[in-house]
Amino acid sequence: MTAPARSAPPTSGDSNSDAQVRRAGRQLIFALYGALRAVKLYPVENAAVQKALGDVTGQARSLIESLRELELRMSGEFIFVNQTRLRLDLDNFASFSHLLALFRGAGIGSITLGPNVESKDWLIFLSLLQAPASDDPSIRFDQLQEKLASAGVSAFHLTPPADQADDDLEKNKERAKRTYAQSVAATRDLMTSVRMGAGANIKKVKRVVQGIVDQILNEETSLVGLTTLRDYDEYTFTHSVNVCIFSVALGKRLGLTKLQLYDLGMAALFHDIGKSRVPQGLLTKADGLTEAEWVQMAAHPWLGVFALFQIRGAQEFPYRSMVVAYEHHMKLDLTGYPRPTHARQMGVFSKIVAIADSFDAATTRRVYQTVPWSPAEVMREMRDNPRRGMDPVILKAFVNLTGVFPVGTLVVLDTFELAIVHAVNPIAEMLSRPIVRIIADPLGNLSHPGVLADLADRAADGTFHRTIIKTEDPQRYGIRIGDYFV
Ligand SMILES: [Fe+2]
Ligand SMILES: [Fe+2]
């Protein structure tokens, strides 16, 4: 057997050239750090500044010469020069972490240097990088690009830390979808068992609720976005899951502990369990209910208490869930149903679930509601109509959670683009400026999945790039909101 033909060994061993890159890379980082400090501390004419800029330019050029190209990339806690990870040790710790923090703050994931980079390019870049700023990194990234361009600096090609962020986002979306699907399935099983009078698997439901709580504590947007998938055929189940998601997200805003959120989530998921004791025909009846049928329907709160007696687990008594099932239609002023015989105060869990319940019910197309309200209309009505009987403080927290234009609202922008509200703006003062997904251009050409835009983004003169002018009915445009959240 003959040995496979070998190509000639490289003139310098791989490990050797790797070590060289590492050494030269470290020197570049030191020079960069020195230049940053000099630019920050002294006026431009100062000899120390000129020398430091000369150093960093020289280091960069010699690296470009030997490697043909030079890319500095930030990944997690590491800096890479092309494919080589620089070693972090005690004597370079300060310079490394300072640089990483600066780049991260400016939304920079990588810098590729042009071959003709000059001292004056470094001066402008490093000054801009250190200018005081409070903006979000992605906004700063765009500003930095614009400023470099207007200063005529083209030696740096910058990219945002896209890969990892996208990956995380995708993973979160996948996890959210799984959690949602499992929750609907478990709720369907549970309610069907109750309807059949069979024993229910409470353990499975508990796991599902814990999954929802964990996911919301970890990343809220993906799961809240899925509530827009209100499924007509599985209304009772998806509704229960949606109310659970909204209640837990709201409870989190109100500062409940994780254990309290588990309890709240269980109670929310079970709030309509009494409907499994109402004849199926009534739940899906297309035309209005008769007086007698309505009486049957309005019995679901206390039927829910009975159902919970039936399915209670071996050790724990679902007391809180019973209270919520019983009180969720009672209204703050007790004008709802069942009508209590004595004065009483609704429990805080019931108040939370009542708000989540009204919101989801009113925004869903249902059998006895031919046109669903837009989420924004529902928000407005819940806030302004005192007969809704909602707790004003909890409602305020709910508006903070969903924004003035809740997730899933179709909106028209002042650019005449069409967009779907994707997430509430993390900046608290920007409740009417959510993150949106632009799905149609000003001419009405639809695009899927569309691109995200932050309505809090401003132009250099301080005016907003885009503003919502009105909400629209997705049906009119033949748009299925849920399509943009999967
Ligand atoms: Fe209900
Ligand atoms: Fe409900």
Side-chain angles (χ1 to χ4, degrees):
M1 204 168 149
T2 52
R6 278 207 192 168
S7 54
T11 43
S12 62
D14 272 348
S15 58
N16 190 21
S17 70
D18 235 4
Q20 279 173 356
V21 174
R22 216 172 278 140
R23 203 175 313 123
R26 278 165 58 108
Q27 277 162 359
L28 175 69
I29 299 297
F30 281 135
L32 195 51
Y33 182 59
L36 274 165
R37 288 180 59 89
V39 167
K40 192 169 186 181
L41 292 172
Y42 307 110
V44 188
E45 322 75 59
N46 189 296
V49 178
Q50 292 307 324
K51 180 176 178 312
L53 290 171
D55 278 349
V56 73
T57 309
Q59 291 288 352
R61 285 205 175 177
S62 77
L63 264 167
I64 295 171
E65 240 167 58
S66 64
L67 303 173
R68 287 201 305 278
E69 60 165 4
L70 175 56
E71 184 204 48
L72 284 178
R73 191 158 45 84
M74 279 41 80
S75 179
E77 293 307 306
F78 301 110
I79 300 181
F80 287 74
V81 167
N82 296 351
Q83 298 309 314
T84 306
R85 195 180 100 194
L86 301 185
R87 289 229 170 97
L88 176 77
D89 42 49
L90 272 181
D91 67 335
N92 61 23
F93 183 76
S95 49
F96 265 58
S97 44
H98 181 74
L99 277 173
L100 276 172
L102 259 186
F103 290 140
R104 201 175 291 138
I108 298 173
S110 79
I111 307 169
T112 305
L113 286 120
N116 302 320
V117 58
E118 285 177 21
S119 287
K120 70 168 180 36
D121 299 324
W122 282 110
L123 176 65
I124 294 167
F125 179 54
L126 300 181
S127 315
L128 289 173
L129 209 53
Q130 298 189 97
S134 56
D135 277 332
D136 160 61
S138 63
I139 299 171
R140 280 198 63 201
F141 180 81
D142 292 340
Q143 291 170 342
L144 189 63
Q145 299 261 63
E146 278 167 30
K147 285 181 183 159
L148 284 173
S150 63
V153 177
S154 59
F156 307 100
H157 177 73
L158 309 178
T159 63
D163 293 345
Q164 208 186 343
D166 278 359
D167 264 14
D168 285 355
L169 198 68
E170 275 312 304
K171 273 192 213 131
N172 276 328
K173 276 177 89 172
E174 280 308 313
R175 204 173 304 136
K177 267 191 262 177
R178 217 177 317 128
T179 305
Y180 194 86
Q182 284 167 351
S183 308
V184 173
T187 310
R188 187 194 302 115
D189 288 353
L190 177 90
M191 294 191 86
T192 312
S193 310
V194 172
R195 186 172 288 284
M196 304 301 195
N201 185 350
I202 198 93
K203 275 211 186 96
K204 199 159 138 202
V205 179
K206 250 186 198 158
R207 271 202 302 277
V208 151
V209 169
Q210 285 170 0
I212 290 177
V213 171
D214 293 346
Q215 177 114 29
I216 283 180
L217 288 176
N218 174 31
E219 197 263 341
E220 186 177 283
T221 314
S222 301
L223 208 48
V224 171
L226 288 179
T227 59
T228 53
L229 297 168
R230 299 181 173 92
D231 190 318
Y232 174 80
D233 295 324
E234 303 225 76
Y235 170 71
T236 318
F237 316 129
T238 51
H239 168 68
S240 297
V241 172
N242 289 354
V243 171
C244 178
I245 291 172
F246 285 130
S247 299
V248 170
L250 187 49
K252 173 188 155 197
R253 298 272 165 143
L254 294 169
L256 300 188
T257 65
K258 196 169 177 174
L259 291 178
Q260 288 170 325
L261 291 178
Y262 287 160
D263 271 349
L264 172 63
M266 286 294 273
L269 197 70
F270 286 142
H271 80 282
D272 272 342
I273 187 86
K275 287 193 179 167
S276 49
R277 291 196 165 197
V278 171
Q280 184 99 49
L282 290 193
L283 300 179
T284 50
K285 201 172 169 209
D287 26 24
L289 298 174
T290 66
E291 186 71 33
E293 287 168 336
W294 174 246
V295 170
Q296 269 186 295
M297 192 67 162
H300 81 267
W302 59 265
L303 288 173
V305 179
F306 288 163
L308 284 164
F309 266 113
Q310 182 194 328
I311 64 168
R312 70 176 190 266
Q315 311 103 350
E316 291 166 67
F317 202 72
Y319 166 73
R320 282 190 199 81
S321 299
M322 290 182 179
V323 174
V324 169
Y326 188 66
E327 290 182 338
H328 75 278
H329 288 292
M330 215 168 241
K331 295 188 182 176
L332 216 55
D333 58 4
L334 308 177
T335 57
Y337 61 92
R339 196 61 70 91
T341 44
H342 302 288
R344 62 185 283 150
Q345 272 238 322
M346 269 171 82
V348 69
F349 280 15
S350 306
K351 291 174 180 171
I352 294 173
V353 171
I355 287 173
D357 182 35
S358 310
F359 180 75
D360 188 69
T363 40
T364 309
R365 168 179 292 277
R366 273 194 304 179
V367 272
Y368 35 87
Q369 197 181 344
T370 45
V371 182
W373 288 12
S374 82
E377 284 169 329
V378 176
M379 274 322 301
R380 205 173 311 128
E381 215 266 346
M382 277 169 55
R383 199 186 51 207
D384 300 340
N385 183 354
R387 281 182 304 142
R388 282 255 176 185
M390 310 264 171
D391 184 286
V393 176
I394 299 177
L395 193 55
K396 180 99 196 316
F398 192 67
V399 180
N400 279 317
L401 168 72
T402 59
V404 178
F405 303 101
V407 170
T409 308
L410 182 67
V411 294
V412 181
L413 305 176
D414 59 353
T415 53
F416 298 105
E417 290 162 312
L418 214 51
I420 293 173
V421 176
H422 178 77
V424 65
N425 203 303
I427 308 166
E429 304 82 66
M430 293 291 170
L431 279 180
S432 59
R433 297 191 166 275
I435 316 289
V436 299
R437 186 176 288 283
I438 296 172
I439 60 157
D441 67 13
L443 298 173
N445 301 309
L446 286 172
S447 60
H448 187 279
V451 289
L452 291 181
D454 184 342
L455 296 189
D457 278 357
R458 298 176 203 246
D461 64 357
T463 55
F464 290 105
H465 288 305
R466 297 180 169 93
T467 299
I468 294 174
I469 48 177
K470 61 173 180 162
T471 61
E472 262 297 353
D473 174 13
Q475 281 252 300
R476 242 192 83 192
Y477 293 85
I479 291 167
R480 281 199 359 198
I481 299 291
D483 291 350
Y484 292 86
F485 285 91
V486 286

